[in-house]
């Protein structure tokens, strides 16, 4: 399906690997000029070259910056003052016990997972509204709706993104601009794949067999009984960015593999 995104410009934060890179790739496939973001300049450049090689009709650009750092963020705004599509993907997570989450950790997660995305939205959304065209997407998690208790500091920030998205969506009433949130379930990022391989290092199993064994033991509530592919989330994000998704407004859009057991 052709998504009607040719020649749009998108900033995808945290787009040198995992879900962010998959979203950037799927947007480039649709003819979008993608701004690749990450803190490591070499990784950013490699990703830009990879996208340019795969999709030579597009013009991916490096947007290396630590989005938590105000000065680096401001420099990015000066360099790229306009985007049509903003995908707030960048974030951090780790398994932690609640008693180990001290105030400094809460604050770090809040600054990284929420305030950085809010700052980007605050800068780019008014321009979208002025042009009566644009998309803002937040990448949350099933943890936003169904906290596991294994990473309370992460779950809190992802729940906050749902509220932020809904509040910003209220500013788009009567316009063709949309603000939405995608909630992926367990996804096969590079880190997750390494973890699974590490759990079964000496077993004569294919990765698919290791994955099924892990899911059955650790995530039996998953209805797909495999990890979600980043490209699947990337394709969904491309659709939500498209003109065909203009009726999604302030929506939490679940791609959780059936992890969340409720009907809402």
């Amino acid at each position: 399906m052709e998504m009607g995104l040719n020649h749009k410009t998108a900033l995808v934060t945290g787009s040198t690997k995992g879900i962010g890179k998959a979203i950037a790739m799927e947007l480039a496939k649709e003819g979008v000029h993608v701004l690749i973001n990450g803190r490591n300049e070499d990784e950013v450049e490699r990703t830009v070259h990879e996208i340019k090689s795969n999709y030579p009709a597009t013009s991916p650009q490096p947007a290396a910056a630590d989005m938590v750092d105000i000065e680096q963020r401001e420099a990015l705004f000066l360099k790229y003052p306009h985007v049509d599509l903003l995908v707030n993907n960048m974030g951090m997570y780790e398994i932690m016990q609640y008693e180990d989450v001290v105030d400094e950790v809460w604050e770090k997660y809040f600054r990284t997972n929420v305030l950085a995305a809010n700052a980007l939205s605050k800068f780019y959304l008014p321009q979208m509204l002025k042009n009566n065209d644009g998309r803002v997407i937040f990448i949350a998690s099933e943890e936003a709706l169904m906290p596991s208790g294994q990473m309370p500091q992460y779950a809190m920030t992802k729940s906050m993104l749902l509220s932020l998205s809904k509040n910003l969506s209220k500013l788009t009433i009567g316009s063709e601009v949309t603000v939405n949130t995608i909630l992926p379930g367990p996804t096969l990022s590079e880190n997750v794949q390494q973890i699974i391989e590490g759990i079964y290092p000496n077993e004569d199993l294919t990765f698919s067999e290791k994955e099924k064994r892990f899911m059955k033991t650790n995530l039996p509530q998953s209805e797909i009984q495999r990890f979600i592919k980043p490209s699947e989330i990337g394709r969904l994000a491309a659709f939500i960015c498209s003109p065909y998704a203009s009726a999604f407004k302030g929506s939490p859009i679940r791609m959780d593999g059936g992890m969340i057991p409720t009907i809402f």
Side-chain angles (χ1 to χ4, degrees):
M1 178 180 177
E2 195 278 322
M3 296 288 188
L5 291 171
N6 204 33
H7 300 308
K8 296 287 189 182
T9 299
L11 171 59
V12 183
T13 65
S15 46
T16 60
K17 60 186 68 173
I19 291 174
K21 183 177 180 179
I23 292 173
M25 285 288 186
E26 292 294 334
L27 288 174
K29 187 185 295 184
E30 295 298 325
V32 175
H33 308 306
V34 185
L35 308 180
I36 299 301
N37 167 253
R39 290 178 296 181
N40 186 301
E41 291 187 11
D42 291 339
E43 290 181 356
V44 168
E45 290 291 349
R46 279 197 296 270
T47 305
V48 168
H49 290 313
E50 182 179 350
I51 291 177
K52 185 64 177 176
S53 176
N54 289 330
Y55 307 104
T58 70
S59 298
Q61 298 294 322
D66 180 353
M67 292 303 189
V68 181
D69 185 290
I70 295 174
E71 291 185 0
Q72 292 188 42
R73 218 163 48 216
E74 293 292 336
L76 184 79
F77 293 157
L78 287 173
K79 187 175 182 180
Y80 301 112
H82 170 77
V83 299
D84 303 295
L85 316 168
L86 171 63
V87 182
N88 288 303
N89 166 75
M90 184 270 294
M92 60 185 300
Y93 68 94
E94 63 184 309
I95 293 176
M96 293 188 72
Q97 296 298 316
Y98 175 72
E99 56 269 23
D100 295 329
V101 187
V102 297
D103 285 352
E104 289 77 12
V105 173
W106 288 111
E107 291 170 4
K108 183 177 182 180
Y109 270 79
F110 181 50
R111 287 194 302 270
T112 304
N113 292 1
V114 180
L115 290 185
N118 179 64
L120 290 164
S121 303
K122 183 173 285 189
F123 181 80
Y124 288 114
L125 181 59
Q127 301 169 46
M128 296 179 185
L129 293 171
K130 183 178 180 180
N131 296 331
N132 194 34
D133 182 49
R135 299 284 184 266
V136 177
I137 297 177
F138 297 93
I139 303 300
S141 164
E142 92 280 357
E143 286 272 341
L145 296 181
M146 189 182 68
S148 65
Q150 295 183 324
M151 46 181 80
Q153 79 292 355
Y154 171 79
M156 177 201 72
T157 60
K158 293 304 181 178
S159 296
M160 291 174 118
L161 291 181
L162 294 180
S163 179
L164 177 59
S165 174
K166 192 66 174 178
N167 276 280
L168 295 185
S169 184
K170 297 296 184 183
L171 304 177
T172 73
I173 292 173
S175 80
E176 290 301 313
V177 179
T178 70
V179 183
N180 294 290
T181 309
I182 294 175
L183 291 81
T187 303
L188 191 60
S189 66
E190 294 89 342
N191 288 341
V192 169
Q193 183 157 355
Q194 290 176 4
I195 290 170
I196 300 304
E197 294 283 13
I199 291 174
Y200 310 104
N202 301 315
E203 310 230 9
D204 187 19
L205 300 171
T206 65
F207 180 78
S208 178
E209 291 169 333
K210 293 177 182 179
E211 180 182 35
K212 289 178 181 178
R213 180 177 292 187
F214 178 87
M215 295 298 289
K216 183 176 181 179
T217 303
N218 297 278
L219 296 171
Q221 66 271 45
S222 167
E223 294 180 12
I224 60 174
Q225 282 298 290
R226 63 170 175 82
F227 285 96
I228 300 163
K229 299 173 184 176
S231 60
E232 293 176 296
I233 300 166
R235 202 65 183 155
L236 173 61
F239 171 70
I240 298 303
C241 283
S242 79
Y244 306 111
S246 59
F248 286 92
K249 288 271 196 174
S251 300
I253 302 160
R254 285 162 42 177
M255 183 179 265
D256 62 358
M259 287 283 293
I260 299 173
T262 59
I263 60 175
F264 289 105

